[in-house]
Amino acid sequence: MDTEFVRQADPYRRELLAHCYRMLGSVYDAEDLVQETYVRAWRSYDRFEGRSSMRTWLHRIATNACLNALESRSRRPLPIGLGAPSSDPADALIEQREVPWLEPMPDSLVSDDPAAVVTGRESIRLAVVAAMQFLPPRQRAVLILRDVLQWPAAEVGEMLEMTTASVNSALQRARAQLQEAAPDADEVTEPDEADRREMLDRFVAAFEAKDTTAMLSIFTKDAVWEMPPFTGWYQTPEHIVLLNQTHCPASGPGDMVMLPAQANGQPAFGLYMRGDDGVHRAFQLHVVHLRGPAVDHVVAFFDTSLFAKFGLPDALPAAS
C-alpha cells in the first residue's frame, strides 16, 4: 500500500504546498501542513474509495488542516497592511518580531517548471497573498478553490460543507475585498524580458554601489519599500533613498553583494553585507515588483533563515 500511495499522492506535493502557502502566508507553516496532509492521507488511504480523484481528496485534507490551523493563528501582514501611514525615513526603526509576518515563497518549491510559475504567478504574487490574509479563513479557502484551482461551486461546497449559494456568496465577498486590497491587473503589467533584465541589472548595480542618484532613477514616483520585522513602510524614491542613507550599514561600493533568486513569481535577490573581516553575510532578501520600466515595490525581509529555502548561502567568501 505504501508504494501505491506514494505513486498516486506524491505528484501533488508542490501543488499542495502552493495551496497551503496561499492559505497561511508562511513557507514554514505550509511545509508543516503539507506534511500533516500526507500523514493523514496515508493513515486513511485504505478507506479511500476513489469516489473523488486523489487530487481532490488531498486538497480536501489540506484545506481542512489549514482551516483548523488558522483557528489559533493570526493573519500574516506586511508592514503596509498594519494600517499606519507611510513612515518618515529619518525616524528610528521600530521592530516587532512577535508579529507573524508574511513570508516569501521560493518559486522552486512550488514548481520545477519556470513557465508554470509564470502562468500562475498572479495568484501567488506577494501582494495578492498579503491581500488574501485580510479575508476570513473560509472565504480565503473559497476564493482559492474557485478562482485559483477553478473548482466548481458544488464541489467546493461539498468540501467545505457549504451550500452552493453560500459558496457563491462567499466568493463574491472575497473578490470584492481582494479587489480593494490588491492592485488592479492594469497596475501589475510587467515590462518585456529585455527591459525587465535591464531594469534588474540597474537595480543591482545601484545598490551594490550604494549609488543614491542611480537609486532615485529606478523607482516609480509612488514606489513602496517595506522591511519586516520593522513596522514602517516608505513611499517615493526620495524617502526610499533617505532610508538607505540613514539606516543602511553599508558605507560605499563593495559593502553589498546581491545574488539573484525567484520568489512568488517575482524577481528576488539575496543581499549580503560585508563585515569587518571582509566576509559578506546574509542580510536581507529583496522581493522586487516591476511596473512598466521601473521598480514600484520592494519587500526586504530581514529573516535570513529564508536564504536556505532559496538555495542561497549564508555567507560569501571574502574574495567576492
Side-chain angles (χ1 to χ4, degrees), residues 254-288:
D255 281 350
M256 293 183 282
V257 173
M258 302 180 82
L259 296 185
Q262 284 290 130
N264 298 78
Q266 301 169 225
F269 297 94
L271 187 152
Y272 296 80
M273 191 69 66
R274 182 163 58 187
D276 294 339
D277 57 0
V279 177
H280 288 84
R281 292 181 176 83
F283 183 71
Q284 286 179 333
L285 183 76
H286 290 187
V287 180
V288 180

PDB file of all heavy atoms in Angstrom, residues 254-288:
ATOM      1  N   GLY A 254      31.000  47.975  -2.808  1.00  0.00           N
ATOM      2  CA  GLY A 254      31.666  46.759  -2.366  1.00  0.00           C
ATOM      3  C   GLY A 254      31.153  46.204  -1.061  1.00  0.00           C
ATOM      4  O   GLY A 254      31.384  45.030  -0.747  1.00  0.00           O
ATOM      5  N   ASP A 255      30.449  47.029  -0.271  1.00  0.00           N
ATOM      6  CA  ASP A 255      29.936  46.528   1.007  1.00  0.00           C
ATOM      7  C   ASP A 255      28.752  45.587   0.814  1.00  0.00           C
ATOM      8  O   ASP A 255      28.499  44.727   1.658  1.00  0.00           O
ATOM      9  CB  ASP A 255      29.517  47.692   1.906  1.00  0.00           C
ATOM     10  CG  ASP A 255      30.695  48.367   2.584  1.00  0.00           C
ATOM     11  OD1 ASP A 255      31.809  47.819   2.497  1.00  0.00           O
ATOM     12  OD2 ASP A 255      30.498  49.440   3.184  1.00  0.00           O
ATOM     13  N   MET A 256      27.999  45.773  -0.279  1.00  0.00           N
ATOM     14  CA  MET A 256      26.832  44.934  -0.544  1.00  0.00           C
ATOM     15  C   MET A 256      27.031  44.126  -1.824  1.00  0.00           C
ATOM     16  O   MET A 256      27.560  44.647  -2.812  1.00  0.00           O
ATOM     17  CB  MET A 256      25.568  45.792  -0.661  1.00  0.00           C
ATOM     18  CG  MET A 256      25.146  46.459   0.627  1.00  0.00           C
ATOM     19  SD  MET A 256      23.585  47.393   0.491  1.00  0.00           S
ATOM     20  CE  MET A 256      24.145  48.898  -0.319  1.00  0.00           C
ATOM     21  N   VAL A 257      26.627  42.869  -1.757  1.00  0.00           N
ATOM     22  CA  VAL A 257      26.626  41.988  -2.932  1.00  0.00           C
ATOM     23  C   VAL A 257      25.245  41.353  -3.006  1.00  0.00           C
ATOM     24  O   VAL A 257      24.680  40.957  -1.981  1.00  0.00           O
ATOM     25  CB  VAL A 257      27.710  40.902  -2.832  1.00  0.00           C
ATOM     26  CG1 VAL A 257      27.576  39.893  -3.978  1.00  0.00           C
ATOM     27  CG2 VAL A 257      29.106  41.524  -2.839  1.00  0.00           C
ATOM     28  N   MET A 258      24.692  41.252  -4.234  1.00  0.00           N
ATOM     29  CA  MET A 258      23.354  40.688  -4.402  1.00  0.00           C
ATOM     30  C   MET A 258      23.400  39.473  -5.326  1.00  0.00           C
ATOM     31  O   MET A 258      24.034  39.507  -6.383  1.00  0.00           O
ATOM     32  CB  MET A 258      22.400  41.742  -4.965  1.00  0.00           C
ATOM     33  CG  MET A 258      22.311  42.989  -4.088  1.00  0.00           C
ATOM     34  SD  MET A 258      21.177  44.261  -4.718  1.00  0.00           S
ATOM     35  CE  MET A 258      19.607  43.630  -4.112  1.00  0.00           C
ATOM     36  N   LEU A 259      22.745  38.394  -4.904  1.00  0.00           N
ATOM     37  CA  LEU A 259      22.622  37.187  -5.715  1.00  0.00           C
ATOM     38  C   LEU A 259      21.165  37.002  -6.116  1.00  0.00           C
ATOM     39  O   LEU A 259      20.261  37.196  -5.296  1.00  0.00           O
ATOM     40  CB  LEU A 259      23.096  35.959  -4.932  1.00  0.00           C
ATOM     41  CG  LEU A 259      24.566  35.904  -4.524  1.00  0.00           C
ATOM     42  CD1 LEU A 259      24.875  34.557  -3.874  1.00  0.00           C
ATOM     43  CD2 LEU A 259      25.487  36.135  -5.716  1.00  0.00           C
ATOM     44  N   PRO A 260      20.901  36.613  -7.370  1.00  0.00           N
ATOM     45  CA  PRO A 260      19.515  36.515  -7.849  1.00  0.00           C
ATOM     46  C   PRO A 260      18.791  35.285  -7.325  1.00  0.00           C
ATOM     47  O   PRO A 260      19.391  34.245  -7.049  1.00  0.00           O
ATOM     48  CB  PRO A 260      19.682  36.441  -9.369  1.00  0.00           C
ATOM     49  CG  PRO A 260      21.039  35.826  -9.561  1.00  0.00           C
ATOM     50  CD  PRO A 260      21.888  36.319  -8.425  1.00  0.00           C
ATOM     51  N   ALA A 261      17.478  35.418  -7.209  1.00  0.00           N
ATOM     52  CA  ALA A 261      16.592  34.321  -6.841  1.00  0.00           C
ATOM     53  C   ALA A 261      15.228  34.609  -7.452  1.00  0.00           C
ATOM     54  O   ALA A 261      15.069  35.584  -8.193  1.00  0.00           O
ATOM     55  CB  ALA A 261      16.498  34.196  -5.322  1.00  0.00           C
ATOM     56  N   GLN A 262      14.256  33.763  -7.172  1.00  0.00           N
ATOM     57  CA  GLN A 262      12.883  33.977  -7.639  1.00  0.00           C
ATOM     58  C   GLN A 262      11.929  33.674  -6.496  1.00  0.00           C
ATOM     59  O   GLN A 262      12.024  32.618  -5.865  1.00  0.00           O
ATOM     60  CB  GLN A 262      12.550  33.072  -8.827  1.00  0.00           C
ATOM     61  CG  GLN A 262      13.154  33.511 -10.152  1.00  0.00           C
ATOM     62  CD  GLN A 262      12.527  34.778 -10.704  1.00  0.00           C
ATOM     63  OE1 GLN A 262      13.222  35.723 -11.070  1.00  0.00           O
ATOM     64  NE2 GLN A 262      11.199  34.810 -10.760  1.00  0.00           N
ATOM     65  N   ALA A 263      11.016  34.595  -6.224  1.00  0.00           N
ATOM     66  CA  ALA A 263      10.049  34.411  -5.139  1.00  0.00           C
ATOM     67  C   ALA A 263       8.682  34.870  -5.598  1.00  0.00           C
ATOM     68  O   ALA A 263       8.545  35.945  -6.184  1.00  0.00           O
ATOM     69  CB  ALA A 263      10.475  35.227  -3.910  1.00  0.00           C
ATOM     70  N   ASN A 264       7.665  34.043  -5.333  1.00  0.00           N
ATOM     71  CA  ASN A 264       6.279  34.438  -5.630  1.00  0.00           C
ATOM     72  C   ASN A 264       6.098  34.864  -7.084  1.00  0.00           C
ATOM     73  O   ASN A 264       5.339  35.781  -7.394  1.00  0.00           O
ATOM     74  CB  ASN A 264       5.841  35.568  -4.696  1.00  0.00           C
ATOM     75  CG  ASN A 264       5.855  35.150  -3.239  1.00  0.00           C
ATOM     76  OD1 ASN A 264       6.913  35.092  -2.615  1.00  0.00           O
ATOM     77  ND2 ASN A 264       4.697  34.826  -2.705  1.00  0.00           N
ATOM     78  N   GLY A 265       6.804  34.211  -7.997  1.00  0.00           N
ATOM     79  CA  GLY A 265       6.720  34.560  -9.403  1.00  0.00           C
ATOM     80  C   GLY A 265       7.339  35.906  -9.723  1.00  0.00           C
ATOM     81  O   GLY A 265       7.061  36.483 -10.774  1.00  0.00           O
ATOM     82  N   GLN A 266       8.158  36.437  -8.827  1.00  0.00           N
ATOM     83  CA  GLN A 266       8.772  37.755  -8.986  1.00  0.00           C
ATOM     84  C   GLN A 266      10.294  37.631  -8.845  1.00  0.00           C
ATOM     85  O   GLN A 266      10.790  36.696  -8.208  1.00  0.00           O
ATOM     86  CB  GLN A 266       8.256  38.712  -7.899  1.00  0.00           C
ATOM     87  CG  GLN A 266       6.759  38.910  -7.885  1.00  0.00           C
ATOM     88  CD  GLN A 266       6.303  39.650  -6.638  1.00  0.00           C
ATOM     89  OE1 GLN A 266       5.326  39.274  -6.006  1.00  0.00           O
ATOM     90  NE2 GLN A 266       7.000  40.724  -6.270  1.00  0.00           N
ATOM     91  N   PRO A 267      11.042  38.587  -9.386  1.00  0.00           N
ATOM     92  CA  PRO A 267      12.484  38.591  -9.156  1.00  0.00           C
ATOM     93  C   PRO A 267      12.792  38.848  -7.686  1.00  0.00           C
ATOM     94  O   PRO A 267      12.076  39.602  -7.011  1.00  0.00           O
ATOM     95  CB  PRO A 267      13.000  39.725 -10.045  1.00  0.00           C
ATOM     96  CG  PRO A 267      11.810  40.586 -10.315  1.00  0.00           C
ATOM     97  CD  PRO A 267      10.618  39.688 -10.275  1.00  0.00           C
ATOM     98  N   ALA A 268      13.831  38.216  -7.195  1.00  0.00           N
ATOM     99  CA  ALA A 268      14.259  38.391  -5.811  1.00  0.00           C
ATOM    100  C   ALA A 268      15.780  38.394  -5.765  1.00  0.00           C
ATOM    101  O   ALA A 268      16.443  37.909  -6.698  1.00  0.00           O
ATOM    102  CB  ALA A 268      13.686  37.292  -4.920  1.00  0.00           C
ATOM    103  N   PHE A 269      16.318  38.919  -4.682  1.00  0.00           N
ATOM    104  CA  PHE A 269      17.773  38.971  -4.520  1.00  0.00           C
ATOM    105  C   PHE A 269      18.134  38.754  -3.056  1.00  0.00           C
ATOM    106  O   PHE A 269      17.513  39.340  -2.166  1.00  0.00           O
ATOM    107  CB  PHE A 269      18.337  40.333  -4.973  1.00  0.00           C
ATOM    108  CG  PHE A 269      18.121  40.627  -6.423  1.00  0.00           C
ATOM    109  CD1 PHE A 269      17.013  41.355  -6.842  1.00  0.00           C
ATOM    110  CD2 PHE A 269      19.007  40.151  -7.378  1.00  0.00           C
ATOM    111  CE1 PHE A 269      16.796  41.615  -8.185  1.00  0.00           C
ATOM    112  CE2 PHE A 269      18.797  40.401  -8.723  1.00  0.00           C
ATOM    113  CZ  PHE A 269      17.691  41.138  -9.136  1.00  0.00           C
ATOM    114  N   GLY A 270      19.134  37.913  -2.848  1.00  0.00           N
ATOM    115  CA  GLY A 270      19.743  37.812  -1.537  1.00  0.00           C
ATOM    116  C   GLY A 270      20.806  38.889  -1.431  1.00  0.00           C
ATOM    117  O   GLY A 270      21.714  38.937  -2.262  1.00  0.00           O
ATOM    118  N   LEU A 271      20.677  39.762  -0.428  1.00  0.00           N
ATOM    119  CA  LEU A 271      21.648  40.835  -0.239  1.00  0.00           C
ATOM    120  C   LEU A 271      22.592  40.446   0.892  1.00  0.00           C
ATOM    121  O   LEU A 271      22.147  40.075   1.989  1.00  0.00           O
ATOM    122  CB  LEU A 271      20.942  42.152   0.085  1.00  0.00           C
ATOM    123  CG  LEU A 271      21.834  43.406   0.146  1.00  0.00           C
ATOM    124  CD1 LEU A 271      21.026  44.647  -0.206  1.00  0.00           C
ATOM    125  CD2 LEU A 271      22.468  43.605   1.523  1.00  0.00           C
ATOM    126  N   TYR A 272      23.892  40.535   0.599  1.00  0.00           N
ATOM    127  CA  TYR A 272      24.936  40.197   1.570  1.00  0.00           C
ATOM    128  C   TYR A 272      25.684  41.464   1.957  1.00  0.00           C
ATOM    129  O   TYR A 272      26.054  42.270   1.108  1.00  0.00           O
ATOM    130  CB  TYR A 272      25.908  39.180   0.966  1.00  0.00           C
ATOM    131  CG  TYR A 272      25.264  37.851   0.658  1.00  0.00           C
ATOM    132  CD1 TYR A 272      24.500  37.673  -0.504  1.00  0.00           C
ATOM    133  CD2 TYR A 272      25.391  36.772   1.520  1.00  0.00           C
ATOM    134  CE1 TYR A 272      23.890  36.461  -0.779  1.00  0.00           C
ATOM    135  CE2 TYR A 272      24.795  35.551   1.251  1.00  0.00           C
ATOM    136  CZ  TYR A 272      24.048  35.399   0.100  1.00  0.00           C
ATOM    137  OH  TYR A 272      23.448  34.203  -0.174  1.00  0.00           O
ATOM    138  N   MET A 273      25.915  41.627   3.263  1.00  0.00           N
ATOM    139  CA  MET A 273      26.602  42.804   3.788  1.00  0.00           C
ATOM    140  C   MET A 273      28.001  42.403   4.255  1.00  0.00           C
ATOM    141  O   MET A 273      28.165  41.392   4.959  1.00  0.00           O
ATOM    142  CB  MET A 273      25.809  43.404   4.947  1.00  0.00           C
ATOM    143  CG  MET A 273      26.279  44.778   5.396  1.00  0.00           C
ATOM    144  SD  MET A 273      25.948  46.076   4.172  1.00  0.00           S
ATOM    145  CE  MET A 273      24.141  46.112   4.188  1.00  0.00           C
ATOM    146  N   ARG A 274      28.994  43.212   3.870  1.00  0.00           N
ATOM    147  CA  ARG A 274      30.379  42.905   4.237  1.00  0.00           C
ATOM    148  C   ARG A 274      30.648  43.282   5.694  1.00  0.00           C
ATOM    149  O   ARG A 274      30.317  44.376   6.151  1.00  0.00           O
ATOM    150  CB  ARG A 274      31.345  43.657   3.322  1.00  0.00           C
ATOM    151  CG  ARG A 274      32.817  43.358   3.615  1.00  0.00           C
ATOM    152  CD  ARG A 274      33.706  43.763   2.461  1.00  0.00           C
ATOM    153  NE  ARG A 274      33.570  45.177   2.127  1.00  0.00           N
ATOM    154  CZ  ARG A 274      34.151  45.732   1.050  1.00  0.00           C
ATOM    155  NH1 ARG A 274      34.852  44.991   0.217  1.00  0.00           N
ATOM    156  NH2 ARG A 274      33.981  47.025   0.802  1.00  0.00           N
ATOM    157  N   GLY A 275      31.276  42.345   6.405  1.00  0.00           N
ATOM    158  CA  GLY A 275      31.660  42.594   7.792  1.00  0.00           C
ATOM    159  C   GLY A 275      33.081  43.108   7.888  1.00  0.00           C
ATOM    160  O   GLY A 275      33.792  43.247   6.880  1.00  0.00           O
ATOM    161  N   ASP A 276      33.538  43.375   9.105  1.00  0.00           N
ATOM    162  CA  ASP A 276      34.885  43.881   9.320  1.00  0.00           C
ATOM    163  C   ASP A 276      35.954  42.891   8.865  1.00  0.00           C
ATOM    164  O   ASP A 276      37.085  43.289   8.545  1.00  0.00           O
ATOM    165  CB  ASP A 276      35.097  44.212  10.798  1.00  0.00           C
ATOM    166  CG  ASP A 276      34.227  45.384  11.255  1.00  0.00           C
ATOM    167  OD1 ASP A 276      33.794  46.167  10.383  1.00  0.00           O
ATOM    168  OD2 ASP A 276      33.967  45.489  12.468  1.00  0.00           O
ATOM    169  N   ASP A 277      35.598  41.594   8.822  1.00  0.00           N
ATOM    170  CA  ASP A 277      36.558  40.572   8.389  1.00  0.00           C
ATOM    171  C   ASP A 277      36.569  40.386   6.872  1.00  0.00           C
ATOM    172  O   ASP A 277      37.257  39.507   6.360  1.00  0.00           O
ATOM    173  CB  ASP A 277      36.261  39.241   9.077  1.00  0.00           C
ATOM    174  CG  ASP A 277      34.829  38.763   8.826  1.00  0.00           C
ATOM    175  OD1 ASP A 277      34.066  39.474   8.114  1.00  0.00           O
ATOM    176  OD2 ASP A 277      34.457  37.697   9.350  1.00  0.00           O
ATOM    177  N   GLY A 278      35.803  41.195   6.152  1.00  0.00           N
ATOM    178  CA  GLY A 278      35.768  41.098   4.701  1.00  0.00           C
ATOM    179  C   GLY A 278      34.785  40.090   4.156  1.00  0.00           C
ATOM    180  O   GLY A 278      34.632  39.965   2.934  1.00  0.00           O
ATOM    181  N   VAL A 279      34.102  39.363   5.027  1.00  0.00           N
ATOM    182  CA  VAL A 279      33.139  38.342   4.596  1.00  0.00           C
ATOM    183  C   VAL A 279      31.762  38.973   4.430  1.00  0.00           C
ATOM    184  O   VAL A 279      31.285  39.704   5.308  1.00  0.00           O
ATOM    185  CB  VAL A 279      33.073  37.183   5.609  1.00  0.00           C
ATOM    186  CG1 VAL A 279      32.015  36.162   5.192  1.00  0.00           C
ATOM    187  CG2 VAL A 279      34.435  36.501   5.730  1.00  0.00           C
ATOM    188  N   HIS A 280      31.140  38.696   3.298  1.00  0.00           N
ATOM    189  CA  HIS A 280      29.761  39.144   3.071  1.00  0.00           C
ATOM    190  C   HIS A 280      28.804  38.099   3.637  1.00  0.00           C
ATOM    191  O   HIS A 280      28.839  36.935   3.232  1.00  0.00           O
ATOM    192  CB  HIS A 280      29.489  39.320   1.572  1.00  0.00           C
ATOM    193  CG  HIS A 280      30.160  40.514   0.976  1.00  0.00           C
ATOM    194  ND1 HIS A 280      31.468  40.496   0.546  1.00  0.00           N
ATOM    195  CD2 HIS A 280      29.687  41.773   0.735  1.00  0.00           C
ATOM    196  CE1 HIS A 280      31.791  41.679   0.051  1.00  0.00           C
ATOM    197  NE2 HIS A 280      30.722  42.477   0.157  1.00  0.00           N
ATOM    198  N   ARG A 281      27.938  38.525   4.554  1.00  0.00           N
ATOM    199  CA  ARG A 281      26.997  37.611   5.195  1.00  0.00           C
ATOM    200  C   ARG A 281      25.560  37.987   4.840  1.00  0.00           C
ATOM    201  O   ARG A 281      25.264  39.143   4.552  1.00  0.00           O
ATOM    202  CB  ARG A 281      27.184  37.637   6.714  1.00  0.00           C
ATOM    203  CG  ARG A 281      28.518  37.048   7.161  1.00  0.00           C
ATOM    204  CD  ARG A 281      28.676  37.049   8.680  1.00  0.00           C
ATOM    205  NE  ARG A 281      29.928  36.378   9.056  1.00  0.00           N
ATOM    206  CZ  ARG A 281      31.121  36.969   9.060  1.00  0.00           C
ATOM    207  NH1 ARG A 281      31.217  38.261   8.730  1.00  0.00           N
ATOM    208  NH2 ARG A 281      32.196  36.297   9.392  1.00  0.00           N
ATOM    209  N   ALA A 282      24.674  36.982   4.880  1.00  0.00           N
ATOM    210  CA  ALA A 282      23.259  37.198   4.566  1.00  0.00           C
ATOM    211  C   ALA A 282      22.710  38.336   5.408  1.00  0.00           C
ATOM    212  O   ALA A 282      22.914  38.381   6.629  1.00  0.00           O
ATOM    213  CB  ALA A 282      22.475  35.919   4.823  1.00  0.00           C
ATOM    214  N   PHE A 283      21.993  39.260   4.748  1.00  0.00           N
ATOM    215  CA  PHE A 283      21.494  40.454   5.440  1.00  0.00           C
ATOM    216  C   PHE A 283      20.001  40.664   5.180  1.00  0.00           C
ATOM    217  O   PHE A 283      19.230  40.845   6.102  1.00  0.00           O
ATOM    218  CB  PHE A 283      22.296  41.669   4.975  1.00  0.00           C
ATOM    219  CG  PHE A 283      21.932  42.945   5.671  1.00  0.00           C
ATOM    220  CD1 PHE A 283      22.278  43.147   7.003  1.00  0.00           C
ATOM    221  CD2 PHE A 283      21.238  43.961   5.005  1.00  0.00           C
ATOM    222  CE1 PHE A 283      21.937  44.332   7.662  1.00  0.00           C
ATOM    223  CE2 PHE A 283      20.899  45.147   5.657  1.00  0.00           C
ATOM    224  CZ  PHE A 283      21.256  45.336   6.991  1.00  0.00           C
ATOM    225  N   GLN A 284      19.598  40.652   3.920  1.00  0.00           N
ATOM    226  CA  GLN A 284      18.194  40.853   3.554  1.00  0.00           C
ATOM    227  C   GLN A 284      17.870  40.030   2.314  1.00  0.00           C
ATOM    228  O   GLN A 284      18.741  39.783   1.483  1.00  0.00           O
ATOM    229  CB  GLN A 284      17.910  42.314   3.199  1.00  0.00           C
ATOM    230  CG  GLN A 284      17.851  43.296   4.333  1.00  0.00           C
ATOM    231  CD  GLN A 284      17.583  44.706   3.817  1.00  0.00           C
ATOM    232  OE1 GLN A 284      17.921  45.047   2.691  1.00  0.00           O
ATOM    233  NE2 GLN A 284      16.986  45.532   4.647  1.00  0.00           N
ATOM    234  N   LEU A 285      16.597  39.656   2.204  1.00  0.00           N
ATOM    235  CA  LEU A 285      16.092  39.042   0.975  1.00  0.00           C
ATOM    236  C   LEU A 285      15.100  40.011   0.349  1.00  0.00           C
ATOM    237  O   LEU A 285      14.057  40.316   0.938  1.00  0.00           O
ATOM    238  CB  LEU A 285      15.409  37.710   1.272  1.00  0.00           C
ATOM    239  CG  LEU A 285      14.910  36.968   0.041  1.00  0.00           C
ATOM    240  CD1 LEU A 285      16.070  36.309  -0.696  1.00  0.00           C
ATOM    241  CD2 LEU A 285      13.871  35.924   0.405  1.00  0.00           C
ATOM    242  N   HIS A 286      15.442  40.543  -0.830  1.00  0.00           N
ATOM    243  CA  HIS A 286      14.578  41.504  -1.511  1.00  0.00           C
ATOM    244  C   HIS A 286      13.650  40.783  -2.476  1.00  0.00           C
ATOM    245  O   HIS A 286      14.118  40.016  -3.331  1.00  0.00           O
ATOM    246  CB  HIS A 286      15.417  42.500  -2.322  1.00  0.00           C
ATOM    247  CG  HIS A 286      16.203  43.456  -1.479  1.00  0.00           C
ATOM    248  ND1 HIS A 286      16.908  44.519  -2.016  1.00  0.00           N
ATOM    249  CD2 HIS A 286      16.390  43.532  -0.141  1.00  0.00           C
ATOM    250  CE1 HIS A 286      17.493  45.196  -1.048  1.00  0.00           C
ATOM    251  NE2 HIS A 286      17.196  44.605   0.098  1.00  0.00           N
ATOM    252  N   VAL A 287      12.359  41.029  -2.375  1.00  0.00           N
ATOM    253  CA  VAL A 287      11.390  40.595  -3.378  1.00  0.00           C
ATOM    254  C   VAL A 287      10.939  41.849  -4.110  1.00  0.00           C
ATOM    255  O   VAL A 287      10.426  42.790  -3.494  1.00  0.00           O
ATOM    256  CB  VAL A 287      10.202  39.853  -2.747  1.00  0.00           C
ATOM    257  CG1 VAL A 287       9.214  39.417  -3.831  1.00  0.00           C
ATOM    258  CG2 VAL A 287      10.688  38.633  -1.960  1.00  0.00           C
ATOM    259  N   VAL A 288      11.139  41.860  -5.419  1.00  0.00           N
ATOM    260  CA  VAL A 288      11.016  43.079  -6.219  1.00  0.00           C
ATOM    261  C   VAL A 288       9.823  42.981  -7.162  1.00  0.00           C
ATOM    262  O   VAL A 288       9.614  41.942  -7.802  1.00  0.00           O
ATOM    263  CB  VAL A 288      12.309  43.312  -7.039  1.00  0.00           C
ATOM    264  CG1 VAL A 288      12.208  44.578  -7.890  1.00  0.00           C
ATOM    265  CG2 VAL A 288      13.519  43.388  -6.109  1.00  0.00           C
TER     266      VAL A 288
END
